[in-house]
Amino acid sequence: MVALHKIFRRNRALAWFGLINFACFLIFLLLSLFDQRQLLGISVWIKPMKFAISIGIFSWTMSWLLHYIPQVKKAKIITWLIISMMSLELLIISFQAARGVTSHYNVATVFDLSLFNTMGVAIVMNTLAVFWAFMLFRKVHTLPSGYKLAIQLGMLIFVIASLEGFVMVGKMSHTVGAPDGQEGIFFLNWAKKYGDLRIAHFVGLHSLQVLPLFGWYFAKENTRRVWLFALMYFAFSLGSFWQAFL
């Protein structure tokens, strides 16, 4: 509860946005109990649920991290870029789920293609917002050296993992060796019998949480330890990406 209080005190807009996304998750969960429609072998509401949780965690993380940036006006611009772009992303995913059609890689009609392209623009803008925050962290001089480096490397790996999405867009699918919709693990739905590019994407994106936590608890003043852990984590993310093609 102390951490949650600090999240709301540091950046109220992102804190509330994260909470709204967690509330959306509960709404989508309830909808899935009454709406029996399926898409690619799972409930049409699974994808909105996953994105709502992901955006909620991302928003609370950025609420925490943007607090350190001394350029308050620039941090505020990043805040509202994230809120507007991620709202657009979740709105389109939810809208397409309600229609019973896919949101990603859907080019069946001009309308579907326009929504897919809009999502792409939203993700690029959100990624640029995080990269901007990464650049602004050069001006942060009040944090322990290891913790600051862990935040910066977490942001950098996040940006790289976001760009991995272009590989999936190029393939117009996330499954390697078979069409999307294969049998997957519970909820995350990563393919059990085929390569799945979403695994590397997931691992890389969550560097934004994993690396700062490592830096704070295990390497607050030890930049060498942070570099070693970050390289291992990045190698694991790249290994997951490479393994999907085997």
Side-chain angles (χ1 to χ4, degrees):
M1 292 302 293
V2 174
L4 184 59
H5 175 71
K6 287 184 177 180
I7 287 170
F8 274 82
R9 192 173 63 189
R10 286 174 174 231
N11 189 315
R12 188 169 294 274
L14 275 173
W16 276 106
F17 182 60
L19 189 62
I20 289 170
N21 275 275
F22 291 129
C24 286
F25 164 77
L26 294 177
I27 293 171
F28 297 143
L29 177 61
L30 288 173
L31 286 171
S32 71
L33 298 178
F34 295 99
D35 186 349
Q36 302 303 314
R37 290 178 300 160
Q38 290 197 341
L39 189 63
L40 298 177
I42 57 174
S43 168
V44 295
W45 297 108
I46 290 290
K47 177 169 281 190
M49 276 192 269
K50 291 194 295 184
F51 272 80
I53 292 176
S54 179
I55 294 171
I57 294 172
F58 171 66
S59 300
W60 279 8
T61 302
M62 293 305 293
S63 171
W64 189 277
L65 300 181
L66 289 177
H67 172 76
Y68 296 126
I69 294 176
Q71 298 97 322
V72 176
K73 289 184 178 179
K74 292 179 180 179
K76 193 170 185 179
I77 294 172
I78 293 173
T79 292
W80 287 104
L81 266 175
I82 290 171
I83 291 173
S84 56
M85 293 301 102
M86 291 297 92
S87 294
L88 188 58
E89 178 84 359
L90 187 63
L91 181 64
I92 292 174
I93 290 171
S94 306
F95 175 71
Q96 292 291 71
R99 293 179 63 215
V101 300
T102 57
S103 50
H104 288 75
Y105 326 122
N106 188 345
V107 295
T109 67
V110 173
F111 179 64
D112 292 321
L113 175 61
S114 65
L115 291 181
F116 180 43
N117 287 337
T118 301
M119 290 169 58
V121 172
I123 289 298
V124 169
M125 293 299 295
N126 184 72
T127 302
L128 289 175
V130 176
F131 185 72
W132 189 12
F134 163 77
M135 297 296 291
L136 291 175
F137 251 83
R138 294 179 301 172
K139 300 292 185 180
V140 176
H141 304 295
T142 57
L143 297 178
S145 57
Y147 180 46
K148 175 186 172 181
L149 179 62
I151 293 172
Q152 290 175 296
L153 293 178
M155 288 180 172
L156 187 58
I157 295 174
F158 174 94
V159 169
I160 295 171
S162 296
L163 296 177
E164 287 177 359
F166 286 106
V167 177
M168 290 184 271
V169 171
K171 290 179 76 285
M172 292 300 283
S173 69
H174 49 71
T175 307
V176 179
D180 289 345
Q182 302 301 312
E183 180 186 4
I185 65 174
F186 174 73
F187 189 66
L188 292 173
N189 205 42
W190 296 336
K192 292 181 178 180
K193 298 179 180 179
Y194 298 91
D196 199 319
L197 295 170
R198 292 175 298 179
I199 299 173
H201 193 56
F202 176 91
V203 172
L205 292 181
H206 285 288
S207 64
L208 197 62
Q209 291 83 36
V210 175
L211 265 67
L213 286 172
F214 175 84
W216 179 259
Y217 286 108
F218 302 107
K220 202 174 288 187
E221 296 285 0
N222 193 325
T223 56
R224 182 178 179 181
R225 189 178 297 174
V226 170
W227 273 112
L228 180 61
F229 181 78
L231 287 172
M232 291 172 60
Y233 192 90
F234 185 56
F236 177 59
S237 177
L238 284 182
S240 301
F241 182 79
W242 176 71
Q243 190 274 337
F245 287 97
L246 295 180

